[in-house]
């Protein structure tokens, strides 16, 4: 077995589920997420780059997941098909519940346009800065700020206040909408 | 209640895995990776062998090798131009995308033509790439609008290897199959296409795959990525999409051994002769010949050979929006013969082409 195959095996065994769930933040569905991760694995491991250990490979595959996601019209069309699953603007009071929060976040993310969703995932999961997101997506800093502002505005409609999200390391641009 | 978005996302990705969830199957993934790596290694090996040969054979061969080689990166090259980095094309700003579908890669079922707009564009022996384009705009929640780019302004293409643009195909022209479809549409007596073409149907176009920096030298065998972009769908904003995989095969040149009496003015695509039957005139006369070929562009190459020999389109089936299905039948003729060409997915070959030949 070649070195890359050992790394692939270890990566999928240890972090395969997490990669699929990362992809599901973008796609909104597990089946599409598995397709996305498989394609990302093929791209990442076919390039001949020395992916010698699983941790480094995971970061590279996550980047490939994002690239494949943004490339994919067919998947984009599927997202359009699940937008009716919008959880709505109502929020429920009660104790913090992690699993409920996850479900809500998935449903809320599914309502966002693909690029907004990508910005949210890069900012709040990958912890990238605005300039880093801009570089990753080929956008200007200002566009990323606008996308994040619009995304947070939309997510708050479904999830309620997002206090941490409002403390961005950027100055959010007004969207002209009132809440 | 308020939600910590960062925590919720990390929980969603890194939280406990639900029991019973099957692990990601990597068997097929590993096979695809092995194949890609083998192709890349093969290409590198071929280049290395060519370089060694050039040293042995002298300066003239070296110059030929340089001319046939692929270009290196050109710092500062315009995005999409020869030698530019694929990354410089950027990505689409907005919710527009381009569908590019390779001719001959779809699957024709009893009722429809199925294809994957993200799937590979095909494996080609020839160095003509036949594709159809559709520009897709996100028209709001749950809706998309599909536009067919003008034949006069189709999307631009860039062929990329190792992240560098190595071919900028163009200009685009209609494929022989598309010319046949259009010919039939103009002559359609049913009135179903009163204006001639169905403007909403994607059209099949063909471009030459010549290497950058050469005098039209065809691209060498190997695996490439293809990107498409257009400025037309969204004024002021470039729409970029891709990549699509494209595999270029070694070009077969062995002519098909033909039986005695076969009409010499009917060029057959190089490949393996599967069957050649001279019809005895009981129910029909002429020839029925089947040739097996490697790659997905057998039909395109067969039609090109006939067109180059002077055959013109007589009619063609117009199926599924004008795209050419694999089993589509195209009829061409010259002064002496009528040739009906059809294609199927072969059992021993990638494609099998059947020629039905009769005298006019």
């Amino acid at each position: 077995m070649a070195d890359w195959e050992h790394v692939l095996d270890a990566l999928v065994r240890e972090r395969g589920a997490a990669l699929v769930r990362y992809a599901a933040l973008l796609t909104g569905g597990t089946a599409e997420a598995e397709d996305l991760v498989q394609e990302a694995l093929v791209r990442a491991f076919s390039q001949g780059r020395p992916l010698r250990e699983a941790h480094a490979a995971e970061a590279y595959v996550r980047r490939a997941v994002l690239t494949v996601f943004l490339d994919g019209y067919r998947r984009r069309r599927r997202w359009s098909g699940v937008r009716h699953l919008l959880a709505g603007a109502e929020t429920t009071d009660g104790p913090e519940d992690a699993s409920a929060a996850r479900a809500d976040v998935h449903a809320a993310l599914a309502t966002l346009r693909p690029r907004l969703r990508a910005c949210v995932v890069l900012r709040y999961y990958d912890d990238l800065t605005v300039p880093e997101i801009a570089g990753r997506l080929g956008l200007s800093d200002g566009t990323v700020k606008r996308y994040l502002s619009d995304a947070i505005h939309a997510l708050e409609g479904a999830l309620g206040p997002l206090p941490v999200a409002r403390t961005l390391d950027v100055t959010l641009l007004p969207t002209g909408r009132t809440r | 209640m308020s939600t910590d978005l960062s925590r919720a996302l990390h929980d969603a990705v890194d939280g406990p895995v639900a029991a019973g969830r099957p692990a990601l199957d990597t068997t097929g993934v590993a096979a695809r990776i092995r194949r890609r790596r083998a192709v890349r290694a093969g290409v590198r090996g071929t280049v290395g062998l060519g370089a060694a040969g050039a040293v042995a054979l002298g300066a003239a061969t070296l110059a030929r090798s340089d001319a046939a080689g692929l270009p290196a990166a050109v710092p500062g090259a315009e995005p999409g131009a020869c030698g530019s980095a694929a990354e410089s094309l950027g990505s689409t700003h907005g919710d527009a995308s381009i569908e590019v579908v390779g001719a001959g890669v779809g699957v024709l079922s009893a009722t429809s033509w199925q294809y994957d707009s993200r799937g590979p564009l095909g494996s080609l022996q020839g160095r003509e790439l036949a594709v159809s384009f559709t520009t897709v705009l996100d028209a709001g929640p749950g809706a998309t609008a599909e536009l067919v780019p003008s034949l006069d302004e189709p999307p631009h293409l860039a062929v990329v290897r190792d992240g560098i643009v190595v071919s900028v195909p163009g200009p685009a022209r209609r494929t022989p199959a598309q010319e046949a479809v259009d010919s039939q549409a103009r002559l359609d007596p049913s009135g179903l296409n009163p204006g001639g073409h169905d403007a909403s149907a994607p059209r099949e176009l063909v471009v030459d795959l010549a290497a950058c920096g050469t005098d039209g030298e065809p691209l060498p065998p190997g695996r490439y990525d293809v990107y498409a972009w257009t400025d037309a769908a969204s004024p002021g904003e470039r729409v970029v999409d891709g990549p699509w995989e494209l595999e270029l095969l070694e070009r077969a040149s062995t002519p098909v051994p033909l039986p005695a009496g076969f009409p010499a003015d009917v060029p057959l695509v190089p490949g393996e002769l599967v069957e050649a039957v001279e019809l005895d005139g009981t129910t029909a006369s002429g020839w029925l010949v089947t040739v097996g070929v490697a790659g997905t562009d057998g039909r395109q190459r067969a039609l090109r050979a006939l067109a180059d020999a002077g055959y013109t389109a007589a009619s063609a089936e117009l199926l599924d929006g004008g795209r050419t299905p694999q089993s589509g039948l195209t009829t061409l003729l010259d002064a002496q013969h009528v040739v009906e060409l059809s294609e199927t997915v072969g059992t021993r070959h990638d494609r099998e082409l059947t020629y039905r030949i009769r005298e006019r």
Side-chain angles (χ1 to χ4, degrees):
Chain A
M1 187 181 279
D3 287 347
W4 67 264
E5 293 184 73
H6 287 293
V7 176
L8 176 65
D9 272 357
L11 175 61
V12 170
R13 186 173 59 251
E14 296 167 13
R15 295 292 293 167
L19 282 170
V20 170
R21 295 199 292 186
Y22 176 83
L25 293 178
L26 300 168
T27 65
T30 303
E32 294 87 347
E34 289 179 349
D35 289 346
L36 188 54
V37 171
Q38 289 184 351
E39 180 61 29
L41 288 168
V42 169
R43 289 198 190 186
F45 282 86
S46 297
Q47 296 297 319
R49 290 181 176 86
L51 299 175
R52 294 196 175 91
E53 56 94 18
H55 179 72
E58 181 187 354
Y60 193 78
V61 171
R62 277 218 306 270
R63 292 186 66 146
V65 163
L66 186 78
T67 302
V68 177
F69 168 78
L70 293 173
D71 284 346
Y73 156 69
R74 283 174 67 82
R75 294 184 176 86
R76 208 175 299 177
R77 188 154 56 179
R78 285 190 199 122
W79 308 324
S80 298
V82 300
R83 279 179 181 156
H84 65 278
L85 299 176
L86 168 61
E90 290 186 7
T91 57
T92 54
D93 294 326
E96 289 283 339
D97 182 321
S99 62
R102 283 203 298 271
D104 286 348
V105 166
H106 272 294
L109 281 173
T111 68
L112 300 179
R113 289 188 292 131
R115 283 193 170 275
L116 272 61
R117 203 176 316 165
C119 285
V120 168
V121 172
L122 288 174
R123 178 71 186 90
Y124 296 104
Y125 179 81
D126 291 299
D127 298 322
L128 299 188
T129 64
V130 167
E132 287 170 333
I133 297 170
R136 189 76 67 86
L137 299 181
L139 302 172
S140 68
D141 288 4
T143 300
V144 172
K145 292 174 186 175
R146 179 163 54 86
Y147 281 1
L148 283 170
S149 176
D150 289 350
I152 296 304
H153 181 90
L155 290 174
E156 285 186 328
L159 300 172
L162 299 171
V164 175
R166 282 292 178 192
T167 59
L168 289 172
D169 56 353
V170 299
T171 302
L172 296 178
L173 301 177
T175 62
R177 288 178 293 202
T178 57
R179 295 171 53 224
Chain B
M1 168 187 147
S2 65
T3 300
D4 181 335
L5 184 57
S6 179
R7 180 183 150 194
L9 292 182
H10 279 278
D11 283 349
V13 172
D14 301 311
V17 180
R21 180 75 200 165
L24 194 65
D25 176 19
T26 58
T27 306
V29 170
R32 289 175 63 194
I33 295 169
R34 279 188 214 100
R35 186 161 179 263
R36 277 200 184 188
R37 293 176 74 96
V39 169
R40 289 181 187 279
V43 169
R44 283 197 295 271
T46 302
V47 172
L49 186 62
V55 171
L57 295 175
T61 306
L62 181 62
R64 172 73 176 74
S65 177
D66 282 349
L70 295 173
V74 177
E78 287 289 316
C82 285
S84 64
E87 290 179 351
S88 69
L89 277 169
S91 52
T92 297
H93 293 213
D95 285 318
S97 59
I98 305 171
E99 272 193 2
V100 182
V101 179
V105 299
V107 176
L108 185 70
S109 70
T111 57
S112 66
W113 186 55
Q114 300 167 4
Y115 65 94
D116 180 357
S117 65
R118 303 308 312 173
L121 300 182
S123 53
L124 314 182
Q125 278 199 45
R127 293 303 183 260
E128 285 187 332
L129 172 63
V131 295
S132 62
F133 295 106
T134 307
T135 304
V136 184
L137 301 176
D138 189 338
T144 58
E146 298 190 357
L147 304 173
V148 177
S150 162
L151 279 179
D152 297 328
E153 295 179 352
H156 311 284
L157 293 176
V159 183
V160 170
R161 191 155 79 189
D162 294 333
I164 303 299
V165 174
V166 295
S167 176
V168 182
R173 55 196 184 278
R174 291 183 300 171
T175 63
Q178 186 66 58
E179 289 176 357
V181 169
D182 291 346
S183 172
Q184 185 191 47
R186 279 195 293 272
L187 299 173
D188 182 4
S190 70
L192 293 175
N193 297 293
H197 309 303
D198 177 357
S200 66
R203 317 293 291 285
E204 230 180 54
L205 299 175
V206 65
V207 292
D208 293 321
L209 297 174
C212 286
T214 71
D215 187 19
E217 291 275 352
L219 284 173
R223 186 174 291 274
Y224 298 83
D225 290 325
V226 176
Y227 291 80
W229 76 92
T230 178
D231 298 317
S234 180
E237 286 195 334
R238 167 176 279 190
V239 179
V240 181
D241 218 328
W244 290 266
E245 293 178 13
L246 174 67
E247 185 175 16
L248 299 184
L249 307 173
E250 294 283 353
R251 308 178 74 177
S253 57
T254 308
V256 176
L258 295 170
F262 187 86
D265 71 325
V266 182
L268 300 183
V269 66
E272 181 183 356
L273 185 64
V274 176
E275 182 183 42
V277 178
E278 183 171 14
L279 304 175
D280 61 9
T282 305
T283 56
S285 58
W287 288 85
L288 196 61
V289 179
T290 300
V291 180
V293 298
T296 59
D297 65 337
R299 187 166 186 268
Q300 169 71 17
R301 290 185 296 119
L303 289 171
R304 176 64 61 205
L306 287 163
D308 289 347
Y311 281 80
T312 55
S315 65
E317 288 183 0
L318 187 62
L319 293 175
D320 195 52
R323 285 168 166 144
T324 305
Q326 288 181 9
S327 64
L329 183 72
T330 305
T331 304
L332 300 101
L333 49 84
D334 72 353
Q336 291 183 293
H337 293 98
V338 177
V339 178
E340 293 175 340
L341 181 73
S342 61
E343 181 182 51
T344 57
V345 177
T347 53
R348 291 193 301 115
H349 308 89
D350 290 335
R351 297 291 186 270
E352 289 185 351
L353 298 157
T354 297
Y355 297 76
R356 168 80 170 81
I357 303 160
R358 68 176 189 273
E359 292 188 357
R360 293 190 69 178

